Amino acid sequence: MPAQSPALTLIPRPTEAILRPGYFTLDADTSLRIGDGAEPAAELLRTLLTPATGLPLRPSPDGQFTLALDSGLGELGEEGYALTVDPHAVLLRAAHPTGLLHGIQTVRQLLPPATLSADPQRVTRWPLPCADITDVPRHPWRGAMLDVARHFQPVSYVRRYVDLLALHKISVFHLHLTDDQGWRMPVAAHPKLTEIGGHRAESQRGPAGSGTYDGIPHGGAYTRGELTDLVRYAAARGVTVVPEIEMPGHVRAALAAYPSLGNHPERTLDVWTRWGVCDTVLGVHDEVLDFCRGVLDEVMDVFPSPYIHLGGEECPTGEWTHSAAARERAAIEGLSGPEALHGWFLGKVGEHLVRNGRRPVGWAETGAELPAEFTVMTWRDPAHTLTAARRGHGVINAHHRATYLDYAQSDDPKEPQAQPGAVVDLRAVHAHDPVPEHADTEAAARVLGTQAQLWTEFVTTPAHIEYLTYPRLCALADRGWSGATDWTDFRSRLDGHTARLDALGVHHHP
Ligand code: ACM
């Protein structure tokens, strides 16, 4: 492993980090020398340090703490940075603005954990240890998905969730906005999506198939302004929000709002109150494709992300098989049968994104079924990652047994209700290499990274979200940014890092 001083407990582990004797002291006299283009980074540094420290960190042409873009550092890529701390000066440099934002999270982690507190501290001088750090991520896609469809969370909490992602240099916040049980993004052209699709009468108690319900209505939706602000908030922290609009399955909430989009327009459907895979899916008539394109036009207006996630998984094709109109569509399109409408549908909608300069992302069922222009998220089987990469897809390895944080993190019966079927402990997350073992260089280069998933069928509160997310996300962030790190080394860094989670009030697993 590259050099790193043992006393540093940074997560993710920097590529190279040497601790030197001595400290720079941040106090009321510390001022910032801000290079061209480094203003957003200076703003973030102030935003993050002011609540606990109250330090003004004023701009000054001869400030001791320099933040600068440096085009000579191109080898650090979009996200890398170089940080030098001497007793009398701090120099943070990067080739691109995002690198500076990540460097600021490292500065935060180098300072005492109390600087992370939301409460003003009675301390006026803060030691920043002298160090030389050069840091470049291994993978560009280090993601975290939050399902706000099964259980809605207010945007105030989603912002905190993003704050915690940024602390760990997570680059992608995948926001799962729609599902059978709720539609959370307003669409001006189709207001019933949130008016009707945003609310369900109750929720199934316990796992899919259980026969009892809680009798408690659940609902909520964001405003367009809240989502626009969230995108800006995340970008200011180096995080890209990738929205997900599920199709052609996982659409029961949309069908409850607009039954004409389904295969049985005469049927009235409820927003689903059960968990599991729902048989009702979108129809394949022109009105549906126009609907999807129209929704995505509004999604693209709100979310500048290069990637837009179309879901695509768990789409039973029974309704199409039994529909004369769907069978006819398959025949007209020259498809082998109604099952092939799945790939056809995603291809049609994906094309619309590509025409608008975006890249469609889909959940892979096998790694071999999605149209060529899709970036693929593999989740069912590790072998699918290699299959998809060899077909030429960009791949995000989200294997469920290593990245699904809705599974319990131990087999202790006292763990809260979790997705049944597996235990994903911290070590399993840490052991997960996004690049498959037998990948040749070309296939390995197509693996964009990895991502944690938090499906929320059984997760209703922010405290429960954080209990399931931390510290497992620390392990995923470490692996995605640093590559392989020694388990013992990770554990000892995590011991130090836990003080930071505590200072931030994160309700983490012990
Ligand atoms: C998934 O777990 N539904 C991708």
Side-chain angles (χ1 to χ4, degrees), residues 1 20 35 64 83 123 136 143 160 179 236 262 265 297 301 317 321 353 355 385 439 446 496:
M1 258 189 286
R20 286 187 280 99
Q64 312 89 327
L83 174 67
V123 175
V136 180
R160 168 173 165 93
D179 216 305
D297 286 344
D301 281 348
T317 53
T321 307
L353 293 178
R355 266 199 306 278
T385 302
R446 294 206 185 94

Side-chain angles (χ1 to χ4, degrees), residues 166-358:
L167 174 69
H168 296 89
K169 301 185 175 74
I170 291 290
S171 55
V172 171
F173 173 34
H174 170 171
L175 188 56
H176 184 79
L177 282 164
T178 71
D179 216 305
D180 296 310
Q181 298 84 359
W183 184 292
R184 309 294 175 212
M185 164 157 177
V187 177
H190 306 287
K192 288 192 225 164
L193 285 172
T194 45
E195 287 166 14
I196 293 175
H199 303 273
R200 64 174 181 266
E202 56 186 353
S203 308
Q204 189 161 38
R205 263 207 197 101
S210 96
T212 62
Y213 293 81
D214 65 5
I216 302 169
H218 180 86
Y222 303 108
T223 66
R224 186 174 163 123
E226 283 177 331
L227 292 174
T228 304
D229 283 351
L230 179 67
V231 166
R232 221 179 283 134
Y233 186 87
R237 285 151 182 77
V239 179
T240 300
V241 185
V242 173
E244 180 183 1
I245 305 293
E246 281 269 13
M247 61 186 75
H250 285 280
V251 288
R252 174 73 165 237
L255 294 178
Y258 295 103
S260 67
L261 300 172
N263 293 286
H264 298 281
E266 73 291 353
R267 263 189 218 163
T268 307
L269 297 170
D270 60 348
V271 176
W272 221 31
T273 56
R274 292 196 261 157
W275 311 127
V277 177
C278 185
D279 289 337
T280 40
V281 304
L282 290 173
V284 290
H285 38 301
D286 289 342
E287 179 199 349
V288 180
L289 294 172
D290 288 342
F291 164 83
C292 291
R293 294 185 193 111
V295 167
L296 290 172
D297 286 344
E298 295 195 31
V299 168
M300 287 188 278
D301 281 348
V302 172
F303 297 95
S305 159
Y307 293 93
I308 308 282
H309 205 305
L310 299 180
E313 88 285 21
E314 297 178 325
C315 178
T317 53
E319 283 195 340
W320 295 337
T321 307
H322 292 106
S323 152
R327 287 198 306 272
E328 191 188 359
R329 181 101 220 194
I332 290 169
E333 299 294 336
L335 303 175
S336 55
E339 296 75 25
L341 287 164
H342 174 254
W344 170 84
F345 188 104
L346 288 166
K348 284 279 173 205
V349 180
E351 257 169 35
H352 181 68
L353 293 178
V354 171
R355 266 199 306 278
N356 284 279
R358 308 297 181 98

Side-chain angles (χ1 to χ4, degrees), residues 383-427:
H384 296 164
T385 302
L386 198 50
T387 305
R390 285 190 173 143
R391 278 185 95 222
H393 293 288
V395 191
I396 296 112
N397 184 339
H399 179 40
H400 71 109
R401 285 187 177 270
T403 71
Y404 274 35
L405 306 187
D406 51 328
Y407 287 134
Q409 41 210 322
S410 82
D411 54 14
D412 186 328
K414 290 198 286 296
E415 290 290 352
Q417 181 176 6
Q419 197 70 256
V423 166
V424 171
D425 63 17
L426 183 64
R427 192 155 190 167

Side-chain angles (χ1 to χ4, degrees), residues 150 246 250 313-314 363 365 379 404 453 455:
R150 269 56 174 270
E246 281 269 13
H250 285 280
E313 88 285 21
E314 297 178 325
W363 295 108
E365 298 295 67
W379 59 288
Y404 274 35
Q453 276 55 243
W455 305 105

